């Protein structure tokens, strides 16, 4: 009878040791995968941060000038049968100035950067 108890004890110890070994391997693998995910997240945050800084710089460089132009609107719509519009020099100058200001803001029209 004593031999039977010794064999059962040995089998139980082997099973317990195997279970603990498997559990520690599982935990090590989980830690490894979590570390890889954290590195990937940091890399993505750095890429996003660079783009956000570029956009913030472009926004701070932009200068908005608001003007309400009401004096010339009536002049262009007096005759509904007219198909040709002649804008005065001041209107053309303001439009061109707005286009130049929009084109001078760097960063918004830049091409997409390919990540590695």
């Amino acid at each position: 009878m004593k031999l039977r108890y010794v064999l059962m004890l040995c089998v139980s110890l082997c099973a317990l040791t195997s279970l603990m070994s498997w559990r520690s391997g599982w935990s090590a693998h989980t830690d490894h995968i979590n570390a890889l995910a954290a590195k990937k997240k940091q890399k993505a945050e750095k890429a996003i941060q660079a783009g956000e800084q570029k956009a913030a710089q472009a926004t701070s460089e932009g200068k908005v000038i608001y003007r309400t132009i009401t004096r010339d609107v009536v002049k262009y719509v007096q005759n509904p049968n007219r198909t040709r519009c002649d804008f005065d020099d001041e209107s053309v100058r303001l439009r061109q100035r707005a286009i130049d200001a929009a084109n001078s803001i760097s960063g918004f029209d830049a091409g997409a950067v390919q990540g590695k």
Side-chain angles (χ1 to χ4, degrees):
M1 230 22 194
K2 209 172 195 185
L3 183 60
R4 182 184 253 178
Y5 290 130
V6 171
L7 285 176
M8 286 177 58
L9 181 65
C10 287
V11 169
S12 299
L13 286 176
C14 286
L16 184 63
T17 305
S18 298
L19 181 65
M20 292 177 84
S21 171
W22 176 80
R23 178 72 176 155
S24 67
W26 181 269
S27 296
H29 178 69
T30 304
D31 292 340
H32 174 69
I33 295 299
N34 288 339
L36 289 177
K39 285 181 185 178
K40 188 175 182 180
K41 183 179 178 182
Q42 284 179 345
K43 187 176 180 182
E45 286 176 353
K46 284 182 183 179
I48 290 171
Q49 185 181 18
E52 287 178 350
Q53 286 177 349
K54 190 175 180 182
Q57 180 184 6
T59 302
S60 67
E61 287 177 3
K63 183 176 160 185
V64 179
I65 300 172
Y66 293 102
R67 289 188 186 166
T68 304
I69 302 172
T70 57
R71 59 184 169 84
D72 294 329
V73 174
V74 177
K75 182 168 68 173
Y76 299 128
V77 190
Q78 286 178 354
N79 186 357
N81 296 326
R82 187 173 180 173
T83 59
R84 182 173 164 215
C85 291
D86 292 326
F87 296 101
D88 62 345
D89 293 335
E90 180 67 16
S91 299
V92 173
R93 188 185 66 75
L94 286 174
R95 180 181 176 275
Q96 188 60 43
R97 193 168 160 199
I99 291 171
D100 292 340
N103 289 336
S104 68
I105 298 174
S106 63
F108 285 117
D109 294 334
V113 178
Q114 294 288 335
K116 289 185 178 181

